[in-house]
Amino acid sequence: MAQTDSTPTTAGKQPADKKPSRKHAEKISARQRIQEAQRLERLAAQRRRRIVVAVSVVAVLALAGGTTLAISTAGDGKSSAESAAAEPTALLVPANATGPDGTVITYGRADAPHTLQVFEDFRCPVCKTFESTNGETVKKLADDGSVKVEYHLAAFLDKNLGGKGSRTALAAAGAALNEGVDKFKQYHDVLYANQPEEREDGFGSVNHLLDLAEQVPGLKTDAFVKAVTERTYAPWAAKVAEAFNSSGVTGTPTVKLDGKPITLFSANRPVTPEQFTAQVKQAAGLQ
């Protein structure tokens, strides 16, 4: 009878007592270093994204009743020593300002039967979407006497994104308001039409804001240039931003007709001018 070899076969297997080769160990170590580097890069990317968390999901626009993408975390972003040093401290309210402490800008006939409240931040990209879609409709409703428009302006995106563009643009808008309500409205529309990319702070430059003012006929007077350059209305802009923070509105854009929220987005899209007008008329009891 042939003798049977009782030793287990080792073909294709490494003996249990054989240690990994140096080359094999180096491969494992290199793979671990790569994995650790990838982990650190993911963490760094997450930190970089945090500064734009408030405006990083533009696709999510199914927003009922004015609840919006840009979310206020309170405060107007006025935190840097540089900004405080550059701004005057004396409060000067622009001519034509309305509301408590002059913190509201009213466009349209004072005796209009209904009030359309518009809450915005000049750096808010969704506000630009709203203005490009329904800004002209808002103006038409005010111009025909159906409503008067009250603008309540915020500056919280400076804090959320960094920079000073919201409050610098708001102060420049105050200088435009001092020239006239119509000048404010035109400048307001120009700012939204030329809004910088959300991660940039283009409105933080007074020179850029002065350049944009050239698009409004008759706005760039010596008084306007001086007020924008010297940031005359920065303390007023801070008051306006504080009033927004105390309003109970937590996001921009928000629109209300006589206190009743107007839906600005439906099925991830802005409502049409026809839909917007129908909502206003329904809220006003006109249909």
Side-chain angles (χ1 to χ4, degrees), residues 110-130:
D111 62 350
H114 301 283
T115 300
L116 192 71
Q117 293 176 298
V118 178
F119 298 82
E120 296 179 317
D121 186 312
F122 281 119
R123 286 183 74 179
C124 168
V126 191
C127 295
K128 178 179 179 177
T129 300
F130 164 69

Side-chain angles (χ1 to χ4, degrees), residues 54-55 60-61 63-72 117-134 138 151-154 156-157 188 192 195 244 249-256 261-265 270 276:
V55 288
V60 187
L61 291 177
L63 307 168
T67 304
T68 58
L69 180 63
I71 304 300
S72 171
Q117 293 176 298
V118 178
F119 298 82
E120 296 179 317
D121 186 312
F122 281 119
R123 286 183 74 179
C124 168
V126 191
C127 295
K128 178 179 179 177
T129 300
F130 164 69
E131 286 292 338
S132 63
T133 305
N134 283 302
V138 170
Y151 287 99
H152 301 261
L153 299 173
F156 65 83
L157 280 177
H188 163 279
Y192 277 114
Q195 186 187 77
F244 172 90
V249 172
T250 57
T252 58
T254 291
V255 176
K256 299 180 180 182
I262 301 297
T263 299
L264 305 182
F265 298 90
F276 183 86

Side-chain angles (χ1 to χ4, degrees), residues 23-41:
K23 186 174 181 181
H24 182 63
E26 288 176 348
K27 285 183 179 179
I28 294 175
S29 178
R31 183 165 62 250
Q32 290 173 337
R33 288 196 299 271
I34 292 171
Q35 290 172 342
E36 177 64 11
Q38 290 173 336
R39 185 184 71 83
L40 292 174
E41 174 57 28

Side-chain angles (χ1 to χ4, degrees), residues 204-225:
S205 166
V206 294
N207 290 330
H208 181 53
L209 292 169
L210 289 171
D211 288 343
L212 292 176
E214 294 177 359
Q215 298 183 35
V216 180
L219 174 58
K220 206 171 177 182
T221 63
D222 290 343
F224 174 83
V225 172

